[in-house]
Amino acid sequence: MATAVSLPGTGRTSPAGSGVRDWVRRAGALSPVLAVIALLLVPGGGGGAQGGTGGTGTVADAASGLLVLVCLVRVARSGARPLSRAAAVVLGLPVLGICLAAITSNDPGASLPGVARYVQIFVLVPAAVLLMIRDRRDFAVVAWALVGLGLLQGAVGVVQFLTGTGASYQGEDIRAVGTFGATDVMGMATVVAYGLVIATGLALGGTAGRARTAALVCAGLLFLPLVLSFSRGAWIATVLTCVLQLLLSGLRRAGRVALVAGALGVVLVGGLGIGSEMVKERVTSITQVAGAPDQSVTDRYTMWAAAGRMWRSEPLTGVGLKGFPAYRDSNASLALSSGSDTAGAGAVFQRQPLLSPHNMYLLVLSEQGLIGLLALAGSWAALLVAALRRRRMGADCALVAVGVLSWQLIDFFYADIGGPSTVLMSVVLGLAAWWSLAEVRRA
């Protein structure tokens, strides 16, 4: 008798041999997407993680360009209309604000790299991922690949904490940053958070048998490196997103899972004492705005105020793409420091300049104005609403799509684009866009 195995992310079973062959075949068809994910394991070589529209020119970025090219070739060969009218409008909407901000910029030439970066991250790569995914099983392959990347980067981060080879934090080289290095401390936190949110969505959404167990185990394993990243923004976004996923999956289940998650946190951080004092201090610093905030909090709020002043000077179209660094000093108060200190994880001490407000909404508002913000944020909101409306068509895919979109939209209050992990965000947006915009059969 043939052994049946569950197909993660589909809620279905298949004979063991055919199931493995199907996954191998699908992985081959999705290889351009999977290559972008896998190449994020390549160390960044110490390149700076420029904020805002800055690019890093990593191998993963090159792979994303190849992904777009392969997708264009497939579309040309098929001869069919690649996107529905709704998908074309939602994914193409950001182009309006991007191009308008570049045209009206005081230095259009300097804005051109920003145009290319924004179009790559928010339009071309998400559209290519959407077109590469054919059905829910393809969706599951990409989703599990993202979980796998989170596990590998998280494992590197935990080793860095235990061996004192991570990025510098409070005078010790213990901050978990994975292969992204000290100049992109948000990289590993983002990757691990994506993996945790996706695993949680698969586990809560009705994934069958062993796949659900695997998803739960992966979510538990990813919790520790996320804590050791000491990234306040990633913590807030992950907690709020997981709460939303739990509520969408049912109140009774939400209560049970919350108890288990709380017990896990007590054991790992409280009982085992893994970074407990530093974690407590980091959590406390989130609310220290008016009292005695640390310099990083002061810098962040100072840059937020500077972004607001830039927007008020050019409310409709902003100061132009890549314009924030040029206008920063004339709009920031004296409370802003000259930069942040980075060291550890194989890098020497250096002073990293503050080139963006570390808030995506304020970055877009200052550089692209109200028109650009409405276009870009409107596209994201449309994806989220569409994903929520399709919940009854498949809870697992819906919870994954809603989860990653919610996480990103919350995290954008504390971060913006920049660094090697940015290209992964475009893959995640494409994964969610497939569920929100493509024709999907009811489960």
Side-chain angles (χ1 to χ4, degrees), residues 14 17 20 52 89 98 154 206 240 326 341 377 384 388 410:
S14 176
V20 173
V89 170
I98 294 168
L240 294 179
D341 298 337
L384 182 59
L388 284 168
I410 296 169

Side-chain angles (χ1 to χ4, degrees), residues 350-395:
Q350 57 181 302
R351 193 76 170 162
Q352 189 172 1
L354 303 173
L355 302 178
S356 74
H358 295 292
N359 180 306
M360 190 65 194
Y361 304 107
L362 289 177
L363 175 65
V364 175
L365 191 64
S366 63
E367 293 189 342
Q368 300 181 42
L370 189 60
I371 295 175
L373 180 61
L374 290 176
L376 198 55
S379 175
W380 302 333
L383 290 176
L384 182 59
V385 171
L388 284 168
R389 291 180 63 182
R390 291 187 169 190
R391 261 199 312 154
R392 296 186 182 278
M393 299 177 64

Side-chain angles (χ1 to χ4, degrees), residues 28-411:
L30 292 166
S31 57
V33 180
L34 301 181
V36 177
I37 297 173
L39 288 173
L40 281 164
L41 290 168
V42 178
Q50 298 179 28
T53 53
T56 54
T58 65
V59 289
D61 281 305
S64 73
L66 182 61
L67 164 64
V68 173
L69 182 61
V70 169
C71 185
L72 287 175
V73 171
R74 290 189 181 183
V75 169
R77 285 183 175 179
S78 68
R81 187 175 69 177
L83 295 172
S84 67
R85 185 173 300 175
V89 170
V90 171
L91 291 179
L93 189 60
V95 177
L96 172 65
I98 294 168
C99 293
L100 186 61
I103 293 171
T104 58
S105 171
N106 292 329
D107 189 355
S111 295
L112 287 179
V115 173
R117 185 62 165 168
Y118 270 100
V119 171
Q120 172 205 5
I121 297 302
F122 295 115
V123 181
L124 293 180
V125 176
V129 174
L130 184 156
L131 293 172
M132 294 291 290
I133 297 175
R134 298 162 299 178
D135 53 32
R136 293 180 62 194
R137 295 187 182 185
D138 280 0
F139 182 99
V141 171
V142 177
W144 279 101
L146 291 167
V147 174
L149 174 65
L151 289 171
L152 292 172
Q153 287 286 0
V156 174
V158 172
V159 171
Q160 289 171 333
F161 175 84
L162 295 176
T163 59
T165 56
S168 178
Y169 179 75
Q170 294 187 352
E172 300 181 63
D173 293 343
I174 57 170
R175 188 170 190 175
V177 292
T179 63
F180 293 100
T183 55
D184 186 17
V185 294
M186 278 294 296
M188 189 213 73
T190 299
V191 171
V192 168
Y194 282 152
L196 196 156
V197 168
I198 290 171
T200 301
L202 292 173
L204 295 175
T207 299
R210 295 178 181 176
R212 172 180 289 181
T213 302
L216 287 172
V217 170
C218 290
L221 291 174
L222 290 167
F223 174 80
L224 180 58
L226 179 63
V227 171
L228 299 180
S229 70
F230 297 107
S231 173
R232 293 169 291 199
W235 291 349
I236 294 171
T238 304
V239 170
L240 294 179
T241 299
C242 288
V243 169
L244 174 62
Q245 288 176 309
L246 286 168
L247 293 176
L248 291 175
S249 68
L251 295 179
R252 183 176 299 179
R253 175 181 290 177
R256 292 198 302 265
V257 175
L259 289 175
V260 174
L264 179 64
V266 170
V267 171
L268 289 178
V269 178
L272 299 181
I274 300 178
S276 56
E277 288 301 321
M278 292 183 176
V279 170
K280 180 181 178 181
E281 181 178 339
R282 193 68 166 168
V283 170
T284 304
S285 69
I286 295 174
T287 60
Q288 290 179 339
V289 179
D294 59 34
Q295 186 59 48
S296 65
V297 173
T298 300
D299 286 340
R300 180 158 302 186
Y301 283 92
T302 302
M303 290 189 293
W304 287 6
R309 294 189 186 98
M310 292 179 203
W311 169 65
R312 285 191 290 273
S313 67
E314 297 287 346
L316 290 181
T317 58
V319 298
L321 293 173
K322 299 198 72 175
F324 184 89
Y327 289 88
R328 182 198 64 182
D329 291 341
S330 60
N331 287 277
S333 70
L334 296 177
L336 182 66
S337 66
S338 60
S340 59
D341 298 337
T342 61
V348 298
F349 174 84
Q350 57 181 302
R351 193 76 170 162
Q352 189 172 1
L354 303 173
L355 302 178
S356 74
H358 295 292
N359 180 306
M360 190 65 194
Y361 304 107
L362 289 177
L363 175 65
V364 175
L365 191 64
S366 63
E367 293 189 342
Q368 300 181 42
L370 189 60
I371 295 175
L373 180 61
L374 290 176
L376 198 55
S379 175
W380 302 333
L383 290 176
L384 182 59
V385 171
L388 284 168
R389 291 180 63 182
R390 291 187 169 190
R391 261 199 312 154
R392 296 186 182 278
M393 299 177 64
D396 49 359
C397 295
L399 288 177
V400 169
V402 170
V404 294
L405 285 170
S406 300
W407 188 93
Q408 195 62 69
L409 293 179
I410 296 169
D411 186 67

